[in-house]
Amino acid sequence: MLIERVFRSEDLPPADRFDCWRELVGQTHAPLELRSDHWADFRASQRLLDLGAVSVWPTAFQPLCFRRTPKLIRQSDPEGLHISLPLSGALRAVRGEEEAVYGPDSLCVVDTSRPVDIHGGDDASLHTGVGLEVPKALLPLPRNQLDQVTGLRLSAQEGFGSLLAQLLTQLAKSTDSYQPTDGPRLGTVVVDLLSALIAHALDSDNSLPPETRQQALVIRIRAFIQQHLHDPHLTPRAIAAAHHISTSYLHRLFQNEEETVAAWIRRQRLERARHHLADPAQRTTPIHAIAARCGFPRASDFTRAFRSAYGIPPKDYRNQSSQHCRTDGC
């Protein structure tokens, strides 16, 4: 799993919780004034995920207000962008005379160089969300465009915003499928997605370097493939047509990747099938049905491909997984 640090307020005496939380948020993001009616017995938690120069922090907390004041900015400014994805509840951002509310369908952008009041949570339950910290120096966009970002409403339901939200949500749930060395790679993916999202929102995609536009397109293509693995007609030609590019350009995009696009599709289908075969809830699902759901309409083709990839037929793999599950008490 990724390198992470965990904070839980219940691990501390009640009198220390709010001050420790304020100090932690100041270190993770930037120095802030915090106010809460629940300061005497504050409840909060945070997992800080290290992605190299980028950090992601799934969090939950009782209602409070974060204030980034001109005085605090003069004292310390890491010159970064903070992106918040609410998972439950809403965030209310007050910037001067302007006010905006962000829910799970949107991304709230905070510039550490600008004053802002952020109100989060309500008395009914803990506010949960995912925070993302990115140094502005990593974003290949002109400073005058970055200055416009905080006034934008970025959708988390479509385009690059949806891809970024999916990645943040996945990291908030679990990082078990990653190695510590994957952190900087994920950081690069996050920066590319955020850069493409901002440029698209500002209608200035031409301001992005070609390599960033290409990487963002590859990420979008990979997400498209994941969504259509069940389709046996998912071919390089069909993928290229769906993204309005030529098949030859699609192959060129994957030249710098570890696998060709066809090999990547095949591996993703096999990995999904392997996951289903090991799932106790799907023990009674016929293997040919699992194969078909993963884009293998011919059971014999699936068996050959699975044995070639994992050195064991799918039936034997399922049996072994069931035995391990019984041993481990699944």
Side-chain angles (χ1 to χ4, degrees):
M1 62 190 305
L2 297 177
I3 298 172
E4 60 179 70
R5 288 176 285 163
V6 179
F7 170 88
R8 290 183 295 265
S9 58
E10 61 264 30
D11 295 336
L12 300 171
D16 297 337
R17 293 174 180 176
F18 191 69
D19 287 341
C20 287
W21 174 251
R22 176 171 51 215
E23 183 178 350
L24 177 64
V25 173
Q27 293 172 352
T28 304
H29 170 59
L32 297 165
E33 289 182 3
L34 267 63
R35 300 196 307 268
S36 175
D37 293 337
H38 305 270
W39 63 270
D41 187 14
F42 193 67
R43 289 185 294 139
S45 63
Q46 181 195 87
R47 289 167 45 230
L48 181 62
L49 311 179
D50 183 357
L51 307 185
V54 174
S55 61
V56 172
W57 45 294
T59 186
F61 52 82
Q62 285 185 293
L64 81 167
C65 173
F66 305 85
R67 294 197 70 206
R68 181 79 172 142
T69 65
K71 180 179 179 180
L72 288 173
I73 293 170
R74 288 193 300 269
Q75 290 176 350
S76 174
D77 183 8
E79 297 197 354
L81 289 185
H82 170 83
I83 291 81
S84 286
L85 172 64
L87 297 179
S88 66
L91 292 176
R92 180 166 59 90
V94 181
R95 303 178 181 93
E97 298 182 357
E98 297 181 359
E99 182 174 318
V101 177
Y102 303 86
D105 61 343
S106 55
L107 296 163
C108 174
V109 182
V110 172
D111 186 335
T112 64
S113 305
R114 292 175 173 240
V116 65
D117 287 10
I118 301 289
H119 302 264
D122 56 51
D123 290 328
S125 59
L126 294 178
H127 175 88
T128 63
V130 189
L132 166 65
E133 305 291 337
V134 179
K136 286 186 279 189
L138 293 183
L139 299 168
L141 295 163
R143 180 53 65 97
N144 66 324
Q145 292 180 357
L146 288 176
D147 289 343
Q148 303 174 48
V149 173
T150 54
L152 297 175
R153 175 171 292 278
L154 301 177
S155 172
Q157 294 189 312
E158 59 185 14
F160 294 113
S162 175
L163 294 178
L164 180 58
Q166 288 174 33
L167 178 56
L168 295 178
T169 303
Q170 179 196 57
L171 292 174
K173 289 180 179 177
S174 173
T175 64
D176 290 346
S177 59
Y178 299 106
Q179 300 295 325
T181 53
D182 291 326
R185 299 187 187 101
L186 285 169
T188 300
V189 171
V190 166
V191 170
D192 285 334
L193 276 176
L194 181 60
S195 300
L197 171 61
I198 293 172
H200 178 76
L202 294 172
D203 195 24
S204 57
D205 290 78
N206 290 333
S207 66
L208 287 172
E211 59 272 16
T212 299
R213 292 201 303 273
Q214 289 181 3
Q215 186 60 32
L217 179 56
V218 170
I219 293 169
R220 196 169 66 194
I221 289 170
R222 287 184 186 274
F224 176 85
I225 291 172
Q226 291 281 6
Q227 294 169 359
H228 295 83
L229 286 176
H230 64 280
D231 184 358
H233 302 295
L234 183 68
T235 63
R237 177 174 294 182
I239 295 167
H243 291 83
H244 309 291
I245 59 176
S246 68
T247 305
S248 59
Y249 183 59
L250 174 65
H251 290 306
R252 287 201 301 274
L253 286 175
F254 275 76
Q255 281 180 351
N256 294 326
E257 304 297 313
E258 295 180 357
E259 298 171 304
T260 65
V261 61
W264 196 79
I265 293 171
R266 188 179 187 84
R267 183 165 64 84
Q268 294 304 307
R269 282 174 166 162
L270 288 170
E271 281 294 302
R272 181 168 295 183
R274 187 162 72 106
H275 174 77
H276 291 330
L277 289 170
D279 184 358
Q282 301 190 53
R283 284 176 185 162
T284 60
T285 304
I287 290 177
H288 69 83
I290 288 177
R293 288 207 312 256
C294 297
F296 292 96
R298 292 168 55 91
S300 58
D301 291 343
F302 171 66
T303 299
R304 283 195 297 271
F306 195 94
R307 184 198 293 269
S308 176
Y310 305 113
I312 186 174
K315 181 179 179 180
D316 293 349
Y317 179 82
R318 169 180 268 180
N319 290 337
Q320 287 185 5
S321 298
S322 297
Q323 292 173 3
H324 293 157
C325 192
R326 286 193 293 272
T327 301
D328 296 338
C330 294

